[in-house]
């Protein structure tokens, strides 16, 4: 079940699609470029000024240690 649109970050799906594209192997530069353009249009249309991640664990590589020494 998808969350209601009002609870999703503005342009969040477009940003997630682009980020996931960069992790694919083999890397498809043309596909990622199209996704970048889609994200760019979204932020222009929705007047997004800045993105932020609320969970500091988001984006950490698999197997990374959560503790920092």
């Amino acid at each position: 079940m998808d969350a209601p649109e009002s609870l999703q970050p503005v342009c969040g799906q477009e940003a997630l699609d682009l980020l996931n594209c960069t992790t694919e192997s083999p890397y498809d530069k043309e596909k990622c470029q199209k996704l970048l353009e889609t994200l760019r249009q979204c932020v222009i249309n929705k007047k997004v000024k800045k993105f932020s991640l609320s969970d500091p664990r988001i984006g950490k590589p698999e197997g990374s240690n959560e503790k920092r020494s």
Side-chain angles (χ1 to χ4, degrees):
M1 184 170 158
D2 291 335
E5 188 174 318
S6 62
L7 297 179
Q8 295 179 359
V10 175
C11 302
Q13 187 61 53
E14 293 83 352
L16 186 60
D17 291 344
L18 176 59
L19 287 169
N20 286 327
C21 182
T22 65
T23 66
E24 293 176 2
S25 184
Y27 175 68
D28 185 341
K29 186 175 182 177
E30 288 182 24
K31 176 183 176 184
C32 292
Q33 182 66 39
K34 289 177 185 176
L35 291 170
L36 175 61
E37 293 299 324
T38 299
L39 176 59
R40 178 70 179 143
Q41 283 304 308
C42 183
V43 298
I44 289 170
N45 293 340
K46 306 267 176 121
K47 299 179 180 162
V48 175
K49 299 292 182 193
K50 186 175 180 180
F51 284 100
S52 116
L53 298 175
S54 60
D55 188 339
R57 294 173 293 167
I58 294 174
K60 284 195 175 183
E62 287 185 37
S64 67
N65 189 351
E66 298 231 359
K67 292 182 182 178
R68 290 190 175 180
S69 14

